[in-house]
Amino acid sequence: MDDKKLIFSAIQPTGTFTLGNYIGAVRNWAPLQDQYNCIYCVADMHAITVKQEPAKLRQNTMAAYALLMACGLDPEKSILFIQSHVPTHALLNWVLCCNTQFGELSRMTQFKDKSQKHPDDVNAGLFTYPSLMAADILAYNADFVPVGVDQKQHLELARNIAQRFNQRYGDFFTQPEPYIIDVGAKVMSLQDPTKKMSKSDENPNACILILDDKDTIIRKFKRAVTDSEAEVCYREGKDGINNLMAIYSCVTGKDFAAIESEFAGKGYGDFKLAVGEAVADHLEPVRTEFDRIIADKAYLKQCYTDGAAKAFKYSQRIVSKVYHKVGFVDR
């Protein structure tokens, strides 16, 4: 790799990405490839902190990898791999676990949230997975990590772990910085716009999946919750319309003033139809490219195999030095 700064990011294979995943994260990763050395992974090891059906996990992992490519990640420009294919993550995780305090992990809000959601399976992996997340980042000495609000706490922990290791064993790890992307919108549920859009929502009309067909997307937007005012404008108390305007702005590039002008004197029906059509048209190239990639199993396997080999070669050098620093006998 050249002397560009390095960015690392990962996404869990928990089924098809939502419109929120796409706008908030994935669509912003492709443009970074020309400015930085980029390493991206499908975090299947993180996924098993909650119960998974094995066949479904394999299917979701392959789909997530293909979707990342369909969204513009180029295996020739970036290192793109599946987490469990690169053993250095697990090897580094143990060393970092031994440099992470129990109290730090117990303060992680995501552990508390997931423990409440899955009270029958509060496992050790769920508790320690922020250390694995730190290993994901530090195995490449990443300079930047694109993070949303819900992951800032985990990145801060990774920085603390890196600092603690450096104090004990001498300066080695780069302290990763958050890379804040101006996504323009946090995409909310179409049925309860006070909550973030989530694929786990019990109401199927609440969430847009980026592989939904055009008719499905338009139907879901037509059913979106709004208000009784029948005025397309962005202001406090209009959560449903604010959410739709933010989505429309993200996929069309129009600012709120232009959107208000475009729909002045028009009803919510016209507006919701326009948002649905704009989103469907914006996602259509992604769906087409995904269908092409997922159908070519040999090409897909070649990409993730080559990606894992590159990731292992890069991270192995770093992890070998870490093992030497902590006092393990060199192999």
Side-chain angles (χ1 to χ4, degrees):
M1 284 193 169
D2 54 35
D3 58 359
K4 291 179 186 173
K5 295 285 189 180
L6 192 148
I7 277 185
F8 176 89
S9 197
I11 192 163
Q12 287 196 40
T14 52
T16 304
F17 304 155
T18 68
L19 181 64
N21 298 139
Y22 176 75
I23 287 176
V26 178
R27 79 164 183 169
N28 304 295
W29 292 354
L32 299 175
Q33 296 175 118
D34 297 322
Q35 305 168 52
Y36 300 95
N37 290 319
C38 293
I39 299 178
Y40 298 115
C41 95
V42 178
D44 57 338
M45 291 166 70
H46 285 293
I48 64 167
T49 56
V50 296
K51 289 174 183 172
Q52 300 284 343
E53 183 186 327
K56 190 73 173 173
L57 177 59
R58 274 188 285 274
Q59 181 184 344
N60 285 344
T61 300
M62 296 280 281
Y65 192 96
L67 264 175
L68 291 176
M69 291 175 64
C71 291
L73 298 193
D74 183 348
E76 297 299 318
K77 289 183 177 180
S78 300
I79 295 177
L80 179 59
F81 67 98
I82 296 169
Q83 185 186 24
S84 62
H85 289 180
V86 182
T88 42
H89 291 238
L91 292 171
L92 182 56
N93 177 43
W94 178 249
V95 174
L96 298 188
C97 275
C98 295
N99 285 272
T100 307
Q101 299 302 302
F102 188 91
E104 290 175 311
L105 293 173
S106 65
R107 288 192 292 274
M108 295 291 110
T109 55
Q110 285 215 351
F111 171 71
K112 294 173 186 173
D113 292 345
K114 288 190 175 181
S115 298
Q116 289 174 348
K117 279 186 184 175
H118 307 278
D120 60 328
D121 188 26
V122 185
N123 59 74
L126 188 63
F127 186 69
T128 63
Y129 94 96
S131 294
L132 176 58
M133 189 178 290
D136 298 334
I137 299 163
L138 299 179
Y140 304 94
N141 254 340
D143 298 290
F144 297 110
V145 181
V147 288
V149 175
D150 57 345
Q151 294 296 345
K152 277 186 178 177
Q153 193 183 30
H154 289 155
L155 182 60
E156 194 58 42
L157 178 64
R159 289 170 54 81
N160 292 343
I161 294 169
Q163 184 179 31
R164 186 175 296 124
F165 184 93
N166 291 347
Q167 287 170 344
R168 287 181 181 174
Y169 301 107
D171 273 355
F172 180 72
F173 284 126
T174 301
Q175 284 203 31
E177 298 283 345
Y179 186 94
I180 307 299
I181 297 171
D182 181 15
V183 300
K186 181 179 180 182
V187 179
M188 311 303 281
S189 161
L190 298 184
Q191 294 298 309
D192 181 359
T194 62
K195 295 193 314 187
K196 194 167 96 169
M197 182 178 285
S198 170
K199 65 174 73 77
S200 62
D201 199 304
E202 291 179 4
N203 188 335
N205 293 311
C207 174
I208 301 293
L209 302 176
I210 66 172
L211 295 181
D212 281 344
D213 61 45
K214 184 167 186 172
D215 288 345
T216 300
I217 290 172
I218 290 172
R219 186 180 71 250
K220 288 179 179 180
F221 274 108
K222 281 182 176 178
R223 295 174 179 174
V225 168
T226 51
D227 55 56
S228 59
E229 292 182 357
E231 182 187 2
V232 177
C233 65
Y234 194 97
R235 66 168 177 258
E236 192 174 341
K238 292 175 69 71
D239 294 334
I241 289 297
N242 293 348
N243 185 38
L244 295 180
M245 287 181 69
I247 292 169
Y248 192 63
S249 174
C250 283
V251 298
T252 64
K254 298 175 182 177
D255 63 22
F256 289 162
I259 296 169
E260 288 177 9
S261 175
E262 181 182 354
F263 292 97
K266 295 182 180 177
Y268 285 170
D270 291 336
F271 179 50
K272 290 196 281 189
L273 176 61
V275 178
E277 288 181 335
V279 168
D281 291 345
H282 183 81
L283 293 176
E284 197 272 333
V286 174
R287 293 194 298 272
T288 301
E289 183 66 358
F290 172 80
D291 289 342
R292 183 189 71 80
I293 294 168
I294 202 72
D296 192 342
K297 295 292 188 284
Y299 172 65
L300 192 59
K301 184 173 184 179
Q302 180 189 338
C303 289
Y304 67 66
T305 302
D306 290 349
K310 291 175 188 174
F312 181 74
K313 183 178 179 182
Y314 192 99
S315 57
Q316 172 71 0
R317 293 196 298 269
I318 290 171
V319 174
S320 292
K321 289 175 182 175
V322 169
Y323 270 39
H324 181 79
K325 277 183 172 291
V326 300
F328 293 160
V329 176
D330 294 336
R331 291 173 69 181

